[in-house]
Amino acid sequence: MNSSSNPQPNYASMVYDFNIDGWSEGFFTPYENSIIPNNAIINNVYMEVLESLEGASDGLFLCEIGGNNLTIATYSSIPAGTIYTTFAHNKSVIDTPMRPLFTVELTQGKFNIIVEYFMSGE
């Protein structure tokens, strides 16, 4: 049996902590990040909220993963313990770190982004 008949998932994660990273308009690369390999098939993206997300107002959270912009969630006082899932089914188009984007100022929060992916050659 070759690996393509039973592909194994790979995982990458990135932690964002407002207290360390602060907030920046547009995309930015946080202090802790992972690179998704080129041509990886992104299967699922999870956001685990470790410290409540608070913003100046409702906003949209996006994350660039493998050259794809994926919408994760809208936020305004998202409590700790919340887990969001998006089924991505995108193919990465470049080796690049995961980069978050907030459309309004985030005033507090800490979360972990976990990406489940398969290598396209598996």
Side-chain angles (χ1 to χ4, degrees):
M1 179 184 295
N2 63 36
S3 61
S4 63
S5 62
N6 189 17
Q8 297 298 307
N10 297 284
Y11 295 92
S13 66
M14 169 201 76
V15 174
Y16 169 88
D17 186 343
F18 172 82
N19 298 310
I20 295 172
D21 295 308
W23 178 82
S24 176
E25 185 175 355
F27 284 107
F28 64 98
T29 301
Y31 76 100
E32 183 178 325
N33 63 73
S34 289
I35 294 177
I36 305 299
N38 190 26
N39 292 321
I41 306 302
I42 301 164
N43 191 48
N44 286 307
V45 181
Y46 306 92
M47 179 176 77
E48 175 186 22
V49 180
L50 304 172
E51 177 186 317
S52 297
L53 300 185
E54 302 262 341
S57 62
D58 282 334
L60 189 64
F61 169 66
L62 303 171
C63 195
E64 182 184 60
I65 300 172
N68 299 289
N69 294 339
L70 303 175
T71 301
I72 305 295
T74 57
Y75 63 88
S76 178
S77 191
I78 297 175
T82 304
I83 298 178
Y84 288 92
T85 303
T86 182
F87 296 96
H89 301 291
N90 291 82
K91 186 172 186 177
S92 65
V93 294
I94 189 171
D95 288 328
T96 185
M98 290 185 269
R99 299 187 309 153
L101 169 128
F102 303 98
T103 59
V104 300
E105 183 175 356
L106 187 70
T107 57
Q108 80 170 40
K110 180 177 181 180
F111 57 84
N112 187 22
I113 298 293
I114 302 164
V115 177
E116 177 187 67
Y117 66 93
F118 296 92
M119 294 308 299
S120 59
E122 291 182 347

